[in-house]
Amino acid sequence: KFSAASIYKLAVMYKTYDSIKKGELSYEDVVSGEKSQLDETIADTANVVGPSPSPQPESEYISMTVAEALRLMITISDNYSAILLAEHLGWQNVDKFLENQGLSGIDLVKKDAPSVTASSILALLERIYNHTAVDYQSSEEMQELLFAQKINDRIPRYLPEGTRIGHKTGELGGIRHDGGIIIGAKSDYIFVFLTETNAPLEASENIALMSKKIFDALEAQE
């Protein structure tokens, strides 16, 4: 089990699409909150903090549609959008949803939460890849968000140009995570790397090197 850092946002995305499918939420709905209170929430849940910019850094009140929050949360790992979605859905509700989905390895509410295991992130990504996360269309949209990821210093770094990689990073202090779907020339793969170290920059490089090593070995198979 590892501190999740921003990779927990995969779980918030999953629950958001489930709520949209059930009609409890729509893409056009607006989520909003006072910036000062959001900053307090981020500070109080230190594991959630990551290197993401605010879309409205000088605003006292942050507001966005659900569709925009999903995009910012996944593609640039924005924290305000993730907190707005999670609080609108309810942290306990998201956690209960994950438990009911057999993903109890992703914990959003207990002591030291949010925390994750590699197997739980793998299981979630596998559902998204297989189009069984909520339904086919929801899974397809989740894939599109992951393939639009802007933070690409780990899994994608040394993979061949043009390789499609849909992934989500996590970064906090000595934590460097990355988990994603890789569309290879011969077949497709899911890699999940969770690390906690006193040398985080080295860890990012090692993830990138290991990603290439595994990819090359798998692609070399007849």
Side-chain angles (χ1 to χ4, degrees):
K1 181 182 287 188
F2 283 79
S3 176
S6 286
I7 208 166
Y8 86 96
K9 293 166 185 173
L10 289 170
V12 177
M13 175 177 69
Y14 190 11
K15 173 55 179 168
T16 300
Y17 274 98
D18 178 72
S19 294
I20 291 171
K21 173 67 175 179
K22 291 175 178 174
E24 301 166 350
L25 202 60
S26 77
Y27 297 105
E28 295 77 26
D29 284 346
V30 173
V31 289
S32 57
E34 291 185 11
K35 184 177 181 297
S36 59
Q37 292 184 350
L38 293 171
D39 287 338
E40 285 181 17
T41 301
I42 292 171
D44 289 343
T45 54
N47 287 345
V48 173
V49 177
S52 58
S54 164
Q56 300 154 295
E58 303 303 324
S59 175
E60 294 181 0
Y61 202 76
I62 295 176
S63 179
M64 63 189 79
T65 64
V66 167
E68 181 69 353
L70 282 166
R71 185 186 69 80
L72 291 170
M73 176 178 71
I74 298 301
T75 63
I76 65 169
S77 202
D78 177 71
N79 287 313
Y80 291 118
S81 53
I83 296 296
L84 286 171
L85 285 173
E87 294 198 337
H88 186 85
L89 295 165
W91 291 97
Q92 291 280 356
N93 293 333
V94 180
D95 195 74
K96 185 66 175 177
F97 168 75
L98 296 171
E99 185 178 336
N100 290 340
Q101 291 289 312
L103 298 171
S104 57
I106 304 173
D107 176 20
L108 301 183
V109 297
K110 297 189 183 74
K111 185 180 179 180
D112 299 325
S115 63
V116 297
T117 62
S119 60
S120 63
I121 296 299
L122 169 64
L124 176 47
L125 289 170
E126 191 170 38
R127 291 181 194 187
I128 293 171
Y129 172 77
N130 287 326
H131 293 96
T132 59
V134 184
D135 60 13
Y136 188 97
Q137 181 60 34
S138 299
S139 296
E140 187 71 13
E141 291 182 21
M142 286 187 246
Q143 284 191 34
E144 289 175 7
L145 288 171
L146 292 171
F147 283 117
Q149 174 64 244
K150 304 300 184 186
I151 304 170
N152 294 312
D153 63 335
R154 279 155 255 180
I155 286 177
R157 185 170 182 180
Y158 298 124
L159 296 191
E161 186 175 351
T163 304
R164 294 192 71 217
I165 303 145
H167 67 117
K168 181 71 194 75
T169 59
E171 183 172 325
L172 172 69
I175 294 167
R176 293 295 183 275
H177 301 331
D178 203 0
I181 300 161
I182 297 88
I183 308 300
K186 294 185 177 179
S187 56
D188 305 338
Y189 322 104
I190 297 175
F191 297 163
V192 179
F193 299 96
L194 305 181
T195 72
E196 186 168 6
T197 172
N198 291 326
L201 293 179
E202 183 178 324
S204 292
E205 177 70 5
N206 285 337
I207 289 172
L209 291 169
M210 185 63 70
S211 170
K212 177 172 171 48
K213 184 175 182 179
I214 297 171
F215 180 88
D216 288 348
L218 292 170
E219 287 292 286
Q221 296 184 89
E222 295 298 333

